[in-house]
Amino acid sequence: MSGTATDPAAGTAVGGTSAAGAEVRPGRFLVRAAGGAAGLTVIAALLGLVRDQAIARLFGASHASDAFLIAWTVPEMAATLLIEDGMALLLVPAFSLALTRRAAGDRTPDPVRALVADTLPRLSAALACAGGLLVWGAPWAVGVLAPGLDDPRLAVDCTRLTAVTVFTFGITGYFSAALRAHGRFLAPAGVYIAYNAGIIGVTLALHSVWGVRAAAAGVAAGSLLMILTLLPTFVRLVPGRGGKRGARGPGPALLGATVLAPVVLFVVSRQSQVFVERFLASSLPDGAISHLNYAQKVAQLPMVLSMMICTVTFPVVARAMAAGDREGARHRVERDLALAGTVVLLGTAAVLGCAPQIVEVLFQRGAFDAADTAATAGVMRVYAFGLLGHTLVGALCRPFFSAGRPTWYPLGAMGAGLLVTTGAGLLLTGPYGVDGIAAANALGISTAAVLMLLGLGTRAVAVRPGAVALSLARPVAAAAVAAAAGRAATDLVPGPSAGLAAGCLLVPLAFLLTGLALRAPEPLHLLALIRRRFPRGH
C-alpha cells in the first residue's frame, strides 16, 4: 500500500517510514490512535452526560424539553451527515487517494491542495445557503417533525438557533475527514469536548433568562468551538507545500450528483429513524420525546466507543482499496466487525442488567422524578436490543463507500430498514407507547444491518457473512449471560449507586468468563489491545 499517514502520537508514518527512516508497524499505530481517540471520546461522552443531566435537572421531561429536542433533530442530522458518516464517507477516500498520488510523486499541482481548493469554497457556500433556508423555514420543519405539538412556537425558536450547525458542522466534518485521512485522530475526537462544553456553559449561564432557548443557543456556540478546535491543525497540515494555488483537482467529480446522492441519501435514511420516532412520540403525552432521547443517548454510549475502532481503521481500508489490496481490506473489515460487535455487546449487557440504576444515578434529581426514571429505563432496555445493529450499520457503510465510486445498495438496505421501523412503529406505538417506538427502531436497524452484511461481499469488500456471524454468535451468548448476572446483582444489592457498582463489576467479569468458556477469541483480542496500549498499566 503506497502513501503514508502520520501517527499523531509519535509523529511517525503508517505503512511507511518515519523521518529517521525506520519502518513503522500499522498495527501499533492503529492501537495507539484508537486508544488516544477513545480516551477523548470517553471524556466527550461524560460531558455529554453532564449536558443531558443539566437539561434534565432544569427542564425535566416537559413541553420545554420536548421543544428543545425537536430542535435538537437539526444538529443530530447535521452531525451524522456532515461530521461522521456523510462527509467522512465522501472525503476520507478522496483525501486518501490524493495522499497516495502525492506519495507517488504527483506534486504539480499538489493533489491535496488541489482537492481543498476545488471543494472547500463551494461547500462552504452551499452550507451557508442551506442554513439560511432552514432558519426561514423553521415553522414548516417543526410542523413536519412534530405535528402533534399543541404549541410549536418554542420549538421553532430553538430550531432557528440550532440551524447554524448546518454550516458549522459541515466545516467541522470537512476538517475532520481531512485530518483523519492524514492519520490525525486526536483533534477530530476532541471536537465534541468543545461542543458539549459550549452547550453546558451557555445553558447554565442563561437558562434563567432565556429558558430552554439557552440550550439551543449553547448548541450554536458549541458548534463554533468545534471549528476553532480543528482550524490550527488543518491550516498547518492539509494544504501542504508546493503545487499551484487554484489548480484543478478532483473536486467537481467529488461534489457531483452521482457521487453525492448515494452517500447523502443513505445518511438521511439512516437518521430518518429518529424522525419516525419523534413523529410518533409527538402524539403521546408530554415527556415522551424526552424519555426516548435520554434513553437513546445513554444506551448508545457503548456504540460510540465501539465505532472508534472503525473510525480509526477507515483510512486504512480506503488506502487498501485505492492500492488494489482487496484481501487486506477484507481482513481488516472482518476484524473490525468482530471487535466493534464485541465492545457494543458488552455495553448492551450492562444496559440490560443495570438500566434503572444507570438512569436513577445519572438523571433523577430536580425536575426529573422517579416516574421519569422508570419510563426511561424501560425504553433503554428495549433500545439495547438494536445496539448491535446500529454498530454493524455504522461499520459496514464505510467499506461500501471506501472504493470512491457510487453505490446505491446501502441506501436500499436502509430504506428497507426504515420501512420496517415505520410499519412496526405504527403497529406498536398505540399499545406499548414509547417502548413500542424503541422496539420498532431495534427491528428496523437490525434488518438494515443484515441486508448490508449480505450485500457487502459482492459489491465492495469480499467479506464472508458466515464468518462474521460466527465471530459474533459467541459474544452474543456471553452478553446474555452477563446481562442476567448484572440484573441479579442490581436486584440483590440495595441502593442505586451500590447496585450500579456491583452490576458494573459483575457484567464485564461474567462476559469475559463466558466468552473464554465458549472459546470466543474477540474478548482476548480486546485484552491484547489494552495491554499493547497500556503495557505498564498507565
Side-chain angles (χ1 to χ4, degrees), residues 213-228:
R213 293 177 181 86
V219 170
S223 68
L224 291 172
L225 293 177
M226 297 171 86
I227 294 178
L228 296 178

Side-chain angles (χ1 to χ4, degrees), residues 16-385:
T17 57
S18 66
E23 186 175 348
V24 181
R25 293 178 298 169
R28 182 180 179 186
F29 160 75
L30 294 176
V31 171
R32 298 178 68 179
L40 292 180
T41 301
V42 169
I43 296 172
L46 292 175
L47 279 176
L49 285 177
V50 173
R51 174 203 67 208
D52 292 341
Q53 287 174 328
I55 294 172
R57 182 170 186 172
L58 294 172
F59 309 109
S62 62
H63 174 75
S65 63
D66 284 355
F68 169 73
L69 291 171
I70 291 167
W72 182 265
T73 305
V74 175
E76 279 185 323
M77 170 62 81
T80 303
L81 180 61
L82 301 175
I83 297 180
E84 300 303 334
D85 289 346
M87 196 74 76
L89 293 174
L90 281 170
L91 289 174
V92 169
F95 275 104
S96 297
L97 180 58
L99 288 167
T100 301
R101 291 174 176 172
R102 174 191 279 177
D106 183 3
R107 292 177 177 269
T108 308
D110 179 76
V112 177
R113 173 171 291 195
L115 178 61
V116 173
D118 281 344
T119 56
L120 184 55
R122 294 187 299 138
L123 179 66
S124 300
L127 292 169
C129 291
L133 185 62
L134 181 57
V135 171
W136 175 77
W140 177 84
V142 171
V144 171
L145 290 172
L149 284 183
D150 294 331
D151 184 0
R153 289 176 296 177
L154 184 58
V156 170
D157 290 345
C158 291
T159 299
R160 283 177 167 147
L161 288 166
T162 59
V164 71
T165 58
V166 173
F167 177 80
T168 52
F169 279 16
I171 302 303
T172 299
Y174 189 98
F175 290 175
S176 295
L179 297 185
R180 286 169 178 167
H182 281 76
R184 301 295 180 99
F185 297 97
L186 295 184
V191 295
Y192 290 106
I193 297 176
Y195 177 56
N196 286 322
I199 298 174
I200 294 167
V202 175
T203 302
L204 295 179
L206 299 178
H207 75 275
S208 60
V209 180
W210 289 356
V212 79
R213 293 177 181 86
V219 170
S223 68
L224 291 172
L225 293 177
M226 297 171 86
I227 294 178
L228 296 178
T229 300
L230 297 177
L231 184 60
T233 307
F234 179 82
V235 170
R236 183 176 68 250
L237 178 68
V238 171
R241 298 180 179 178
K244 299 177 182 178
R245 185 176 296 274
R248 305 304 296 170
L254 179 65
L255 296 180
T258 57
V259 178
L260 278 173
V263 176
V264 171
L265 293 176
F266 166 77
V267 174
V268 169
S269 66
R270 184 179 177 190
Q271 192 63 24
S272 293
Q273 295 234 340
V274 177
F275 298 163
V276 172
E277 289 181 14
R278 290 180 183 168
F279 181 90
L280 296 172
S282 68
S283 61
L284 297 176
D286 284 347
I289 295 175
S290 298
H291 294 147
L292 285 166
N293 174 76
Y294 296 134
Q296 189 178 64
K297 289 294 189 296
V298 178
Q300 288 188 352
L301 285 176
M303 183 190 73
V304 173
L305 292 176
S306 67
M307 286 306 301
M308 286 309 305
I309 297 170
C310 303
T311 298
V312 169
T313 59
F314 180 37
V316 177
V317 176
R319 290 205 184 185
M321 296 292 288
D325 183 9
R326 304 284 174 172
E327 181 62 22
R330 181 195 64 77
H331 177 75
R332 180 74 263 167
V333 170
E334 287 185 353
R335 180 159 183 167
D336 288 351
L337 292 173
L339 289 176
T342 299
V343 171
V344 81
L345 286 169
L346 174 57
T348 299
V351 170
L352 290 173
C354 312
Q357 291 73 22
I358 293 172
V359 177
E360 185 172 354
V361 169
L362 290 178
F363 297 117
Q364 190 173 314
R365 56 184 63 83
F368 196 97
D369 58 22
D372 294 322
T373 293
T376 303
V379 177
M380 273 181 61
R381 279 178 164 154
V382 180
Y383 265 135
F385 289 101

